Amino acid sequence: MKTTMIAAVVAAAGFASGALAADTVSMKFTGTGSGSNVKATYFSTTLNVFAGQLKHTITSGTGWSARLNGDHRTFCTDFGEYVTSSFKTYKVVDPQWTPNSAPMGVDKANAIRDIYTTAGITISQTGLNNDLATAFQLAVWDIVADYSASTGVAGLGLSGGHFKATKTNGSALSSGITGHYNTLINSIGHTARTAPVLGLTNNGSQDQLVYVPTPGSLS
């Protein structure tokens, strides 16, 4: 299953379908991109956190995964772990296998692909609107925590369920953030689901989602 689903992503990205199930890259965190600070509750943990693009440098990709070498703006699936500022080895996997501490599964991964397809490659580029970057990360966390194919988007929302978010002072998020969030969430199940997105996992460091670039697309 891992190889089959990753091969589908590879094909969608326009590359030969190679075996990626054992592929690895070396990656480190280099700073934040577009986004904003929020107060978020994930199950029993409440933290003031940055929600938005996370800048990472990827090296040492081999085989097909050499395509990922370079600088990227990623989004995390793993609320309970932290990024690393030193290079560590990450496995290249289908998003369903992230976070590796509690893999989200196929249905949630498909919802993730839907919001990536709706946002498009601009979600991983420089100059992204801060509200959209914040909304996208909140949508990812909400899907990982609360999405179920049986209830659909009715089980999602930033004021209830296992995942909740507000401004850092506890007041309601801006209409800009919630507007983008609603657009993303309401796209689930209504897209072509073609976004070429992969997961990057490391035991002990925060797992990431990366948009697979075409040459020059992430400038």
Side-chain angles (χ1 to χ4, degrees):
M1 177 64 76
K2 285 186 183 181
T3 302
T4 299
M5 296 196 72
I6 291 173
V9 174
V10 174
F15 299 98
S17 296
L20 280 181
D23 277 11
T24 62
V25 297
S26 184
M27 185 171 76
K28 72 173 182 178
F29 172 72
T30 61
T32 57
S34 300
S36 60
N37 293 322
V38 301
K39 178 180 286 185
T41 297
Y42 190 91
F43 290 84
S44 60
T45 301
T46 299
L47 297 170
N48 283 344
V49 296
F50 176 79
Q53 295 174 322
L54 301 175
K55 295 191 288 186
H56 283 87
T57 296
I58 294 176
T59 65
S60 304
T62 59
W64 186 91
S65 291
R67 185 68 192 83
L68 297 176
N69 290 341
D71 296 327
H72 296 266
R73 284 163 175 77
T74 66
F75 292 86
C76 85
T77 62
D78 198 339
F79 191 84
E81 291 186 335
Y82 297 92
V83 293
T84 174
S85 58
S86 60
F87 279 109
K88 291 188 177 180
T89 300
Y90 284 73
K91 293 180 180 179
V92 181
V93 300
D94 186 88
Q96 69 168 306
W97 302 106
T98 68
N100 61 0
S101 57
M104 69 174 76
V106 173
D107 291 335
K108 293 179 180 181
N110 283 338
I112 294 288
R113 286 193 180 88
D114 284 337
I115 66 171
Y116 262 97
T117 301
T118 297
I121 190 149
T122 57
I123 201 67
S124 296
Q125 292 177 323
T126 60
L128 183 66
N129 175 274
N130 285 323
D131 286 347
L132 176 53
T134 301
F136 195 88
Q137 180 61 83
L138 296 179
V140 169
W141 282 330
D142 199 14
I143 289 168
V144 174
D146 288 325
Y147 182 73
S148 167
S150 61
T151 57
V153 297
L156 299 175
L158 297 178
S159 60
H162 297 300
F163 180 78
K164 297 177 281 291
T166 66
K167 291 182 178 178
T168 54
N169 63 6
S171 62
L173 294 166
S174 71
S175 59
I177 293 173
T178 57
H180 285 300
Y181 167 88
N182 289 333
T183 297
L184 292 166
I185 292 303
N186 288 330
S187 74
I188 294 174
H190 301 285
T191 75
R193 198 170 287 163
T194 56
V197 57
L198 291 171
L200 300 166
T201 66
N202 172 277
N203 291 329
S205 295
Q206 195 177 73
D207 297 342
Q208 304 293 320
L209 297 170
V210 60
Y211 197 106
V212 180
T214 56
S217 63
L218 294 183
S219 59

